[in-house]
Amino acid sequence: MATQKTITLQQIGSPIRREKSQRATLIGLGLNKMNKQRQLIDTPEVRGMINKVPHLVRIIGE
């Protein structure tokens, strides 16, 4: 069984005064508070969500 590649994200921006879709994208990534970190499986879907809110998240580790 192959190991799945993961990516670690940290929220660096606030969703206040942002579009509802950007706030929903953060919630979909599991981020809803400043400086919160999540480790997610690196898939095209997750990468697309990151590309939608690059100003609100930081990739810490791949």
Side-chain angles (χ1 to χ4, degrees):
M1 187 168 158
T3 59
Q4 295 178 340
K5 188 175 178 185
T6 60
I7 187 168
T8 305
L9 296 176
Q10 179 180 16
Q11 182 177 343
I12 59 168
S14 172
I16 296 173
R17 288 188 273 143
R18 304 284 180 186
E19 294 180 14
K20 289 182 182 181
S21 63
Q22 290 181 0
R23 185 178 302 220
T25 301
L26 284 176
I27 292 170
L29 289 169
L31 303 170
N32 60 354
K33 294 182 181 174
M34 293 292 294
N35 298 316
K36 187 171 182 180
Q37 295 181 3
R38 278 296 301 257
Q39 191 170 19
L40 302 168
I41 297 172
D42 192 6
T43 62
E45 293 83 4
V46 170
R47 287 289 180 164
M49 293 171 77
I50 293 169
N51 288 336
K52 188 170 181 181
V53 289
H55 53 288
L56 299 177
V57 297
R58 175 187 306 146
I59 298 175
I60 295 176
E62 294 191 35

